[in-house]
Amino acid sequence: MVFPVRGKSILLIIGGGIAAYKSLELVRRLAERGVKSRAILTRAGAEFVTPLSLASLTGDQVYQDLFSLTDEARMGHIELSRSADLVVVAPATADLMAKMANGLAGDLASTALLATDKPVLMAPAMNVRMWESPSVRRNFETLTRDGVRFVGPNDGEMACGEFGPGRMAEPLEIVAAIERALSDDGPLKGVRALVTAGPTREPLDPVRYIANRSSGKQGYAIADALARAGAETILVSGPVALAAPAGVRIMRVATAREMLAACEAALPADVAVMTAAVADWRPEIALNSKIKKNGDAPDIRLVENPDILAQLARHAMRPRLLIGFAAETDDVVAHALAKRTRKGADWIIANDVSGDVMGGDRNRVHLVSAAGVEDWPDMTKTDVAARMTARIARQLRGTA
Ligand code: C5P
């Protein structure tokens, strides 16, 4: 599903960060797609890109000053904030996020953010420690609750030499997120979706862990399909070798307990699709140093992991539509029926993993709901994701 964006326009707010140069590329990529950009450059942003290069690329004046008589005469700041179909903040600095989360309006960029009646998409970029600091976390959560959309930040090496989440999303990822935000005919527009995917890793010691063969392909395909249909999608992923789908917010975790915490932090959600193959047990003790070979095999005591699906079913912010998966090697549907009741899910998607489903590209599933069992034909995981997205849209419309 690709939605036409030609003829739409954005207001681009460029904050002060080294990633600002990528926003020039963003303007070019949008222009190629027929999307017009008008730009506000903050004082800090102007330290990284010049108004002249930005004006040349947007083909328009660059707005910089709240109290500029010439700017105000051409277009007042209120009008500016509403002139586009979408407001995009890239790079979104910690400062701009803090201002918007707290309703500050001391300059043109923050005033426009406060005055706009259009959706806002932020592409954060900052040092990893800043991104992970409690105040930025709080502001991020507030903004998410207020309906602000996010693309990135990505993991990677930063201009400051540190490594971790904080790099601004690449221009084409931001373009994809803009296309999604601008697609007003997506069947899941306004819906918040949570997806889990991949295996979990339960450490025994610093070099060994218990895991499983889940590739994450089905969950990533579902997150992608939900986002393409307009849902604001959060993907909580165990360790897999897949790139995050564009426009999806990814939270990477390793253990089941980290996955549970990430899911709870991602609530509220209208729909949750739990495709992750969560390890049922973890070693009771994860040692800090490597277990040595000394002739005897170690005694490893396992304890049960939390059941994330069951915990979300009992959560005060239980998603309206809670979907679990059931990978089985025999009596697939019978087990799924029992699992639906035991875990308190609305639907269980049952699949037979006795063949090469794990890691493969095809899947054959049965949708088990209160209404009965639907047997879906064998199809690709992408097709399962598309069909499930259509069913989710239908279901949510029915229960809205
Ligand atoms: O019990 P079983 O592992 O077969 O249940 C599968 C479903 O429950 C999947 O949706 C899986 O994501 C979820 N699950 C979970 N937490 C666990 C185990 C499974 O959320 N600890």
Side-chain angles (χ1 to χ4, degrees), residues 196 274-276 278-280 305-309 323-326 328 339 342-343:
T196 66
M274 319 300 282
T275 69
V278 183
D280 291 311
N305 262 331
D307 190 309
I308 303 168
L309 176 58
I323 305 173
F325 266 67
E328 301 286 353
K339 203 165 288 184
R342 191 171 71 244
K343 300 206 181 202

Side-chain angles (χ1 to χ4, degrees), residues 204-208 285-294 296-300:
L204 272 163
D205 68 16
V207 293
R208 304 181 180 95
I285 299 162
L287 292 165
N288 288 330
S289 49
K290 188 179 164 194
I291 306 168
K292 299 305 260 181
K293 260 192 289 192
N294 62 4
D296 287 331
D299 251 339
I300 296 165

Side-chain angles (χ1 to χ4, degrees), residues 65-386:
D65 193 354
L66 182 57
F67 301 109
S68 155
L69 286 177
T70 44
D71 286 6
E72 278 292 311
R74 259 197 72 159
M75 181 174 284
H77 61 275
I78 304 292
E79 195 189 340
L80 181 62
S81 76
R82 298 178 188 171
S83 62
D85 299 296
L86 175 74
V87 181
V88 178
V89 190
T93 56
D95 182 65
L96 281 170
M97 285 177 61
K99 282 180 172 147
M100 188 175 185
N102 294 286
L104 296 178
D107 57 13
L108 182 58
S110 52
T111 306
L113 284 170
L114 201 59
T116 189
D117 58 356
K118 297 297 178 344
V120 176
L121 171 73
M122 288 191 154
M126 66 194 75
N127 167 273
V128 56
R129 296 268 170 276
M130 291 169 73
W131 175 249
E132 286 172 351
S133 72
S135 50
V136 172
R137 301 279 82 218
R138 266 198 311 277
N139 291 336
F140 170 66
E141 277 161 28
T142 304
L143 291 167
T144 306
R145 267 200 304 279
D146 290 348
V148 173
R149 289 166 174 249
F150 283 86
V151 52
N154 294 342
D155 278 8
E157 194 175 346
M158 300 195 206
C160 55
E162 286 188 58
F163 196 87
R167 277 173 65 87
M168 188 166 90
E170 295 305 318
L172 284 179
E173 291 175 84
I174 303 177
V175 167
I178 290 172
E179 285 175 335
R180 277 163 196 189
L182 285 175
S183 56
D184 41 21
D185 40 1
L188 290 179
K189 189 175 160 56
V191 164
R192 270 175 69 91
L194 166 66
V195 180
T196 66
T200 64
R201 252 181 211 175
E202 311 296 336
L204 272 163
D205 68 16
V207 293
R208 304 181 180 95
Y209 55 78
I210 296 177
N212 59 64
R213 293 180 52 206
S214 168
S215 65
K217 282 184 183 169
Q218 185 64 80
Y220 274 57
I222 289 169
D224 188 39
L226 290 170
R228 280 177 196 277
E232 187 189 338
T233 307
I234 300 180
L235 173 61
V236 178
S237 174
V240 294
L242 299 173
V248 166
R249 180 161 170 71
I250 193 153
M251 297 169 83
R252 295 187 199 276
V253 296
T255 68
R257 286 181 295 175
E258 287 167 9
M259 187 172 274
L260 172 63
C263 286
E264 287 182 330
L267 293 177
D270 299 286
V271 55
V273 190
M274 319 300 282
T275 69
V278 183
D280 291 311
W281 305 281
R282 66 174 183 276
E284 185 175 32
I285 299 162
L287 292 165
N288 288 330
S289 49
K290 188 179 164 194
I291 306 168
K292 299 305 260 181
K293 260 192 289 192
N294 62 4
D296 287 331
D299 251 339
I300 296 165
R301 230 186 90 77
L302 298 177
V303 292
E304 207 165 311
N305 262 331
D307 190 309
I308 303 168
L309 176 58
Q311 296 226 15
L312 290 198
R314 291 192 296 265
H315 200 282
M317 285 192 273
R318 182 194 192 280
R320 250 190 309 149
L321 180 58
L322 184 56
I323 305 173
F325 266 67
E328 301 286 353
T329 49
D330 46 279
D331 293 334
V332 177
V333 171
H335 280 121
L337 284 164
K339 203 165 288 184
R340 195 181 89 81
T341 327
R342 191 171 71 244
K343 300 206 181 202
D346 299 304
W347 298 353
I348 290 283
I349 310 296
N351 62 340
D352 187 339
V353 290
S354 53
D356 56 1
V357 163
M358 285 198 121
D361 290 323
R362 300 189 73 82
N363 210 351
R364 175 154 162 54
V365 307
H366 315 266
L367 191 158
V368 177
S369 71
V373 181
E374 282 174 33
D375 297 317
W376 292 7
D378 176 273
M379 57 181 108
T380 63
K381 288 182 176 175
T382 316
D383 287 341
V384 169

